[in-house]
């Protein structure tokens, strides 16, 4: 049993920790005037000026080759920067997908020309990508996508629709998973990944408002969009394998643990300010800490495996499912704690309630993005040999 | 951690600490405290192999292991439902040797909270006291090495445990040294590791059962509902095992209270969830005495109830988190950033 037995307590190596103090000092200044309920949006917070500042600091594309604008630093150095960004609730939404997924995908599967064209602006914090995977009626059943790109004299003619594409409204590009051959019944066969310039004629982006009032995900329509031949990333028909690898890397990072941490810190500050903290509040603080700390250790252990070149897909799913469950537990439990003060005549600060309300309304997405809970549990079951 | 040590221990436990042996020790202890020939035979094997002395310095005849190395040993004891207080003895011997006390023969159970009673001392629910000749107990700032034979003993809830009352005369003649740390913290740390091992065995045997047990014409593990229950079990087990490693993360033989709080709280939470899911998946057969599952799930509940349940340690961890200023991340880093050299 290597899956449950193979994750040893380790630590972020000193070269990974080296930047933490500098990043933290920068962030303390950068977010000091942003209220907590706005910081709580973090990875859906769109702020291109902030992304450019991070690019100038060299904190984007940290692991990319220098030839493509990167800094050739270790994965743990990036881990520390991301962890600090999320903990401060910095608005990382504009560059988030491009830096975390799209540029690494292009570096792995793209042509030399694609790497030179697309990657350096991502590292500078100037070029933003979204991911076109889901479609209406496809949802988690990604292999059933119907959006189709047909080869023609000009390259590819694209028709169809994507949905739940985060920040598409603000992005220059989408990497779309589309059918380039065969039929939806062929499932994983015949899928490819294409880079779509969202400014092209025939592309329509329509934001969808979520129940918190935010407009971070979008519908994107393709009506006879003509793409150049070099829109294809990787090999025709290999889109499924490429997407599977891509998803594995985004499931165990700090972003699966700390989505509710701005609220946690704000609530802790409130409880610390009380004359006599309630025993229930102390216990809840401990409950969260004693669940979160082992998960952070697991996340670091999975990162260590990635650094060693292993592919801990199931381990990452174990961390993601637990992390997102905890991320959803935090606002629910904090609401319970705060409202247990009813009748005690003690006012809960309005600013704290604003953050709580935002996370309460947005937290359903934690167990949807990057694979629903049911999909992840199915992946774990497969890793255990049950299917 | 020396791979040879864990492999040798695994061999010993696989051969000598079988479910049949665990059952025999439990039933002999139930019949007559302190008179289990099977327990005596198993203890002799352990004593001869030197495993009880692993935490002693090499000068003192041990292997000089730190708590972080002991995790792998205690984990194995948990995996095999060790019915004797061997993990406890390892720790007690290390503490006593460090204080210059001559080590007694035989297993040493732990009583982290000795209470004054009728001029003497008492302790309730002392784990393994029916199969150990000694108890190391904490009273105030001291630890005392007390012979079980000198106590008035009565049955406790778990078959291998006892409620003990030592008269004043036994207390006066006991070996007494200053406690190097909180015995409760120490016991909670080692019990986290025992839980981690038992959780792994319960998970693996439930997984095997799900692959073998046929219902409705196929193995029950082919049903999505069972698959998801096993996935949730795997999550609890992975988190608890990491938490227990954190609890044992120390250079010497004194555990860090905050790390122990994390380990004991999380492994105790997992114990309840995993035991319930295991029994649910096994159906009625898993609930029977003759089936081995109960040897472990009884221990999951027992160890969860030993040295503070999850609520106790959550309160301790919560106090530490609230006492710290700044971001929760910094307390988390203090807990998870192992001081061990990266391999």
């Amino acid at each position: 049993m290597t899956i449950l037995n193979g994750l040893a307590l380790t630590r972020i190596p000193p070269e990974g920790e080296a930047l933490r103090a500098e990043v933290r000092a920068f962030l303390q200044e950068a977010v000091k005037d942003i209220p907590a309920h706005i910081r709580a949006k973090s990875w859906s917070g769109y702020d291109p000026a902030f992304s450019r500042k991070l690019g100038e600091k060299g904190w984007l594309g940290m692991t990319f080759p220098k030839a493509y604008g990167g800094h050739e630093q270790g994965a743990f150095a990036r881990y520390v920067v991301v962890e600090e960004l999320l903990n401060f609730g910095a608005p990382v939404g504009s560059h988030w997908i491009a830096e975390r997924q799209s540029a690494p995908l292009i570096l792995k599967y793209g042509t030399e020309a694609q790497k030179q064209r697309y990657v350096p602006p991502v590292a500078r914090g100037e070029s933003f990508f979204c991911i076109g995977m889901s479609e209406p009626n496809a949802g988690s059943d990604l292999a059933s996508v119907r959006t189709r790109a047909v080869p023609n004299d000009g390259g590819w003619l694209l028709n169809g629709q994507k949905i739940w594409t985060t920040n598409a409204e603000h992005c220059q590009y989408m990497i779309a998973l589309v059918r380039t051959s065969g039929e939806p019944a062929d499932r994983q066969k015949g899928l490819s990944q294409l880079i779509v310039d969202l400014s092209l004629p025939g592309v329509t982006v329509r934001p969808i408002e979520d129940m918190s009032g935010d407009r971070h995900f979008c519908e994107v329509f393709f009506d006879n969009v003509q793409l150049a031949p070099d829109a294809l990333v990787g090999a025709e028909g290999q889109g499924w394998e490429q997407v599977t690898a891509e998803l594995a890397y985004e499931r165990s990072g700090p972003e699966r643990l700390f989505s509710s941490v701005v609220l946690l810190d704000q609530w802790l500050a409130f409880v610390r300010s009380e004359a006599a903290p309630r025993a229930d509040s102390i216990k809840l603080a401990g409950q969260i800490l004693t669940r979160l700390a082992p998960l952070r250790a697991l996340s670091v252990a999975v990162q260590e495996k990635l650094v060693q070149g292993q592919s801990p897909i199931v381990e990452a799913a174990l961390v993601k499912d637990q992390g997102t469950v905890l991320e959803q537990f935090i606002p629910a439990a904090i609401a319970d704690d705060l409202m247990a003060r009813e009748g005690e005549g003690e006012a809960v600060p309005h600013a704290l309630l604003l953050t709580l309300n935002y996370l309460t309304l947005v937290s359903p997405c934690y167990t949807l993005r990057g694979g629903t809970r049911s999909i992840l549990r199915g992946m774990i079951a497969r890793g255990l040999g049950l299917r | 951690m020396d791979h040879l040590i864990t492999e040798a221990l695994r061999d010993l436990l696989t051969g000598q600490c079988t479910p049949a042996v665990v059952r025999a020790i439990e039933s002999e202890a139930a019949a007559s405290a302190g008179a289990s020939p099977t327990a005596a035979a198993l203890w002799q094997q352990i004593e001869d192999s030197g495993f009880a002395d692993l935490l002693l310095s090499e000068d003192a005849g041990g292997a000089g292991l730190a708590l972080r190395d002991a995790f792998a040993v205690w984990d194995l004891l948990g995996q095999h439902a060790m019915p004797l207080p061997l993990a406890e003895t390892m720790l007690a011997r290390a503490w006593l040797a460090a204080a210059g006390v001559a080590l007694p023969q035989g297993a040493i159970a732990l009583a982290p909270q000795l209470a004054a009673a009728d001029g003497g001392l008492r302790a309730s629910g002392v784990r393994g006291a029916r199969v150990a000749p000694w108890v190391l107990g904490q009273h105030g700032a001291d630890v005392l090495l007390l012979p079980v034979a000198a106590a008035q003993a009565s049955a406790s809830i778990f078959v291998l445990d006892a409620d003990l009352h030592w008269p004043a005369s036994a207390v006066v003649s006991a070996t007494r040294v200053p406690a190097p740390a909180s015995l409760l913290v120490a016991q909670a740390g080692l019990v986290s590791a025992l839980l981690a091992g038992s959780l792994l065995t319960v998970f693996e045997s439930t997984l095997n059962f799900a692959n073998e047990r046929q219902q409705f014409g196929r193995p029950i593990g082919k049903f999505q509902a069972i698959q998801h229950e096993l996935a949730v079990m795997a999550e609890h087990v992975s988190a608890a095992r990491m938490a227990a490693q954190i609890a044992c993360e120390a250079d010497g033989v004194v555990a860090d209270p905050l790390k122990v709080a994390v380990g004991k709280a999380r492994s105790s939470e997992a114990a309840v969830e995993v035991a319930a899911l295991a029994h649910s998946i096994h159906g009625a057969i898993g609930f029977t005495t003759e089936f081995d599952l109960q040897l472990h799930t009884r221990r999951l509940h027992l160890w969860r109830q030993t040295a503070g349940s999850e609520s106790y340690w959550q309160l301790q961890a919560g106090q530490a988190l609230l006492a710290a200023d700044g971001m929760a991340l910094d307390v988390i880093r203090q807990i998870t950033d192992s001081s061990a050299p990266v391999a």
Side-chain angles (χ1 to χ4, degrees), chain B residues 42-232:
Chain B
L42 177 58
W43 185 260
Q44 199 54 51
Q45 291 276 342
I46 291 165
E47 189 82 69
D48 294 346
S49 311
F51 289 115
D53 291 329
L54 290 176
L55 286 175
L56 266 59
S57 69
E58 290 181 21
D59 293 347
L65 297 192
L67 289 186
R68 80 166 57 86
D69 309 309
F71 169 79
V73 172
W74 294 341
D75 176 22
L76 275 174
L77 301 182
Q79 288 180 37
H80 289 84
M82 170 51 69
L84 304 176
L86 171 57
E88 294 82 345
T89 306
M90 285 172 64
L91 186 99
R93 286 195 179 186
W95 278 22
L96 291 169
V101 172
L103 300 177
Q105 288 288 307
I108 307 172
L110 300 181
Q113 283 149 328
L114 292 170
D118 306 328
L121 292 170
R122 67 171 175 78
S124 48
V126 180
R127 303 293 178 232
R130 282 177 81 90
V131 283
W134 298 96
V135 168
L136 184 74
Q138 181 153 22
H139 189 232
D142 294 336
V143 286
L144 287 76
L145 182 65
L146 295 154
V148 173
Q152 210 174 56
S154 52
S156 185
I157 298 300
F158 188 70
V159 65
L160 299 177
D161 302 346
D163 295 345
L164 300 169
H165 178 212
W166 289 272
S169 57
V171 173
V172 169
S173 57
T175 303
R176 177 189 287 260
V177 293
S182 157
L183 192 53
L184 182 72
V185 169
Q187 188 181 24
L190 69 87
V191 170
S192 310
L194 294 172
L195 276 167
S198 191
L199 285 164
L200 187 65
T201 297
V202 168
F203 175 75
E204 287 178 342
S205 38
T206 307
L207 183 62
N208 290 340
F209 182 82
N211 276 323
E212 286 162 11
R213 171 72 173 155
Q214 303 265 334
Q215 290 275 269
F216 308 103
R218 52 183 174 153
I220 60 170
K222 293 293 173 199
F223 291 93
Q224 196 172 46
I226 302 287
Q227 291 178 355
H228 285 203
E229 287 188 336
L230 283 160
V232 170

Side-chain angles (χ1 to χ4, degrees), chain A residues 1 4-5 7-9 11 17 20 24 87 265 272 282-283 286 291 293 296 321-322 380 386-387, chain B residues 203-204 222 227 235 238-239 241 245 269 311 314 318 321-322 324 327-330 333 336-338:
Chain A
M1 176 57 57
L4 300 184
N5 234 354
L7 289 169
L9 182 62
R11 66 169 172 178
E17 289 288 343
R20 193 184 291 275
R24 189 172 280 203
N87 270 271
D265 279 332
R272 284 176 191 131
I282 300 170
K283 187 185 158 191
R291 290 181 188 176
R296 199 258 189 178
D321 194 37
Q322 295 185 80
I380 295 165
L386 287 162
R387 48 202 301 196
Chain B
F203 175 75
E204 287 178 342
K222 293 293 173 199
Q227 291 178 355
E235 293 175 5
S238 64
R241 291 182 61 78
Q245 289 181 60
E269 276 190 332
S311 279
Q314 284 163 1
L321 179 55
L322 287 164
M327 294 196 295
L329 174 63
D330 289 334
R333 290 175 54 225
T336 60
D337 286 359
S338 145

